[in-house]
Amino acid sequence: MQAPRDPLPRRLARGRRLARWALAWEEAWPRLWPILGVVGLFLVAALSGLFLYLPGWLHLLVLVGFALALGWAAWRGLRGFVVPLTTAADRRLERESGLSHRPLSTLSDRPATDSDPMALALWQAHRARAAAAVEQLKVGLPRPGLPARDRR
């Protein structure tokens, strides 16, 4: 018979994954809205039938203009995008959960020496408190802050 598995690593991995997704969304959404704006303008023009009334050369010119605008918006928006690291996910989890003293870092740390049994007992107690704090992890909803970045 197998011993029951510790749910902490799975819970922590799930929390980190959700926190990284939330951080990625917060970083990506302000970068994606100009691209979606160009796509939306194209759809408005296409669905309204505007292209049906244009001569062939002007139709082609407008399509090339939309393609260039889309490429420029994508290049400008996505050029500095970086996938969030695990350390950033840990900081978000700790901040959203109201945890202090970085308990997630404590779980991955090791004691400096193994020679002092009293220090090891203190370290184990510290790790147990950190593990108990991890049980209360919250990711929180993504807050991309788009209204604060919009000049208009």
Side-chain angles (χ1 to χ4, degrees):
M1 187 160 109
Q2 293 182 353
R5 292 182 54 145
D6 183 17
L8 182 64
R10 285 192 348 198
R11 181 172 171 78
L12 183 57
R14 181 178 181 271
R16 282 178 173 158
R17 185 175 62 249
L18 290 174
R20 286 181 76 181
W21 286 351
L23 288 169
W25 178 254
E26 289 174 358
E27 182 73 21
W29 177 244
R31 296 168 180 273
L32 289 175
W33 76 263
I35 298 168
L36 296 175
V38 171
V39 169
L41 283 174
F42 174 78
L43 288 175
V44 166
L47 294 175
S48 68
L50 174 70
F51 297 129
L52 297 174
Y53 298 107
L54 298 177
W57 64 272
L58 188 56
H59 184 164
L60 183 62
L61 189 65
V62 170
L63 288 178
V64 168
F66 271 117
L68 289 174
L70 183 64
W72 179 78
W75 174 79
R76 186 166 181 243
L78 300 176
R79 68 181 164 177
F81 180 75
V82 179
V83 176
L85 300 173
T86 303
T87 54
D90 285 352
R91 298 300 79 81
R92 180 189 176 91
L93 286 170
E94 291 166 347
R95 184 181 65 245
E96 292 293 324
S97 301
L99 302 175
S100 58
H101 306 297
R102 295 189 172 184
L104 298 178
S105 297
T106 301
L107 293 175
S108 61
D109 284 346
R110 301 285 175 250
T113 66
D114 294 338
S115 60
D116 186 7
M118 189 65 127
L120 285 175
L122 183 63
W123 178 254
Q124 291 301 327
H126 180 58
R127 279 184 56 99
R129 271 195 309 269
V134 169
E135 291 296 324
Q136 305 164 10
L137 287 180
K138 297 177 200 162
V139 175
L141 294 175
R143 293 180 303 272
L146 189 58
R149 296 179 187 189
D150 191 7
R151 293 185 303 262
R152 293 176 205 81

